[in-house]
Amino acid sequence: MPATHDVFNQPEPLADVNLFAGNRPLQAALTFNAPGLDTAPLLALGATVGSADMRRHARLANVHTPQLKTHSRFGHRIDQVEFHPSYHALMAQAVGAGLHGTAFSAQQQVTGHAHQLRAAGFMLFTELEPSILCPISMSYAVTPALRDNTAIYQDWAPGLTSRQYDPELKVWREKTGLTMGMGMTEKQGGSDVRANTTRAVADGTDAWGQRFSVTGHKWFFSAPMCDAFLILAQTASGLSCLFLPRVLPDGSPNQLFIQRLKDKLGNKANASSEVEFVDATAWLVGEEGRGVPQILAMGTMTRLDCALGTSGLMRQALSLALNHTTQRMAFGKRLIEQPLMKNVLADLALESEAATALALRLARSFDRAGDAHEQVMTRLLTPVAKFWICKRGSHFAQEAMECLGGNGYVEEGGEGVMARIYREMPLNSIWEGAGNIMALDLLRALRKADAAAALAQELAPARGMHRALDHLAERLPARVEEMATEMEARRLAQDVALAVQAALLAQTAPAAVFSAFCDSRLGGEWGHSFGSLGAGVDFDAILERAMPHPSTSAR
Ligand SMILES: Cc1cc2nc3c(=O)[nH]c(=O)nc-3n(C[C@H](O)[C@H](O)[C@H](O)COP(=O)(O)OP(=O)(O)OC[C@H]3O[C@@H](n4cnc5c(N)ncnc54)[C@H](O)[C@@H]3O)c2cc1C
């Protein structure tokens, strides 16, 4: 067809960039929380996940979605999920970077920063492809819970910490790497797991301890090709945590049957399934009848990942918006030079940096698990960060998408990364405890006698730096001590999140970022949508800080 027009004013995509080198908020958060951390692995990972080659894998894994194969050609039940080669390429990269269980290896633990290194890597990888991080996250999170069955943990730890990705469904001892998932949610309830109906009948004892025969179902069972799962089932003593491998120690398949794969809004590259167990074999982990606290040792770490993952997605959406608006012209100027667009972008940049700071701060507490203050921070900030960061995600993604105009809304065979981010965002808020459940969990956390004092200690370094923060920080410990009612739980979670974010920005961010964050989020100089920062904000300084290319300018 003859050309009718020149194509112009369409920005170059953000490709082949080092996602770590260009992320100053993440670097600052690491310098603050993990001084002395060797960031060379992050620089290498930043180049890999920012490469056009890996982006192609991310697109293909989302376009060619997983397929369930219940039976073989000859009618045998196989219960396997088939993935596109790009899914495996992404998994191999994530495992190779040690984003699953490697942080728990003795070699990583001696660094003192293993969880933060892994947290930063997880955030960077999210900018490449978030859905494969579901099995990666669960394989990371499982260790604190699984360790309570020493025999199983000894057998499985080498595979869970290995940097080899091995997708074959075969007995654990023949594999170079292992992955794990979790099964709690049933049809009748996911938040109230005590209503689980799956039954487990005692079936003797062997080298892995007390064995059970499990019958029932799970309604959401993500990454069913994992090698094993922690599940909840009712034994004679009540709800208990069980280890259920897909392949039994003698090499035979366990009695786990995949009914179908979920047709999801986003998270397309990852398979989420519905499964049934028919006399499946499983082993007890932890104390019988204490399944909920046992599996929540895993849930706590996946909640950390929800906060990290959403922060990574925010950063990616912001980078795409900045990349677009620095190139696209409208009404005689680059979009980023238009005052109102500056306001939108700067507001998003504040939100993104605050999310990064809070998520990394939470990750620090896992590196210092022996410290009493950090233990309270883990308990307090896990529901707070999961609630607030994930709650902000969808609104953030919509606004960042709008910066790209109509092109932001277009999928174009998976090229439309903004659309993928938008579809992914609500997920971190729902799974592993939806918003209300997180806010209610904060109330439980506050029952710890030292929560108010620990919060005051956390906010103390920022005292005197901003009037609105001082005002909030003075009132917050008393509100914490009084213990809010359920009706007030979301408001309290929000205020704790904002206060901690502001105190962190006081210590890690330029003055322009800190003061604009406090003025808007704490001081009331803000509307109900992004892009409503007040006068006196140093927009250019905030935008310079956020640029994905250090060489690009907002001016
Ligand atoms: C893509 C995807 C993958 C998933 N993968 C897994 C998986 O691998 N393993 C797994 O176990 N689960 C998985 N889940 C399930 C997920 O964890 C649950 O959906 C979630 O915990 C909510 O449970 P529910 O869907 O039963 O909703 P419900 O428990 O019915 O909750 C519905 C709403 O009610 C609110 N609510 C509940 N109780 C209260 C209360 N007391 N007060 C106020 N509000 C309340 C909740 O916050 C929520 O907003 C997955 C979910 C999704 C979407």
Side-chain angles (χ1 to χ4, degrees), residues 134 138 182-192 220-223 264 267 272 427 430-437 440 486:
C134 169
M138 293 192 289
M182 62 162 37
M184 294 190 281
T185 308
E186 296 185 359
K187 288 177 183 144
Q188 72 284 347
S191 307
D192 187 6
F220 280 91
F221 199 75
S222 285
K264 298 173 287 184
N267 195 252
S272 298
L427 179 53
I430 293 174
W431 72 4
E432 299 301 344
N436 286 354
I437 297 302
L440 295 173
E486 286 198 8

Side-chain angles (χ1 to χ4, degrees), residues 45 89-100 102 125 132-133 136 163:
L45 182 63
L90 292 163
M91 285 292 290
Q93 278 295 341
V95 170
L99 302 184
H100 62 319
T102 308
F125 206 101
I132 70 110
L133 290 177
I136 294 294
R163 289 179 187 252

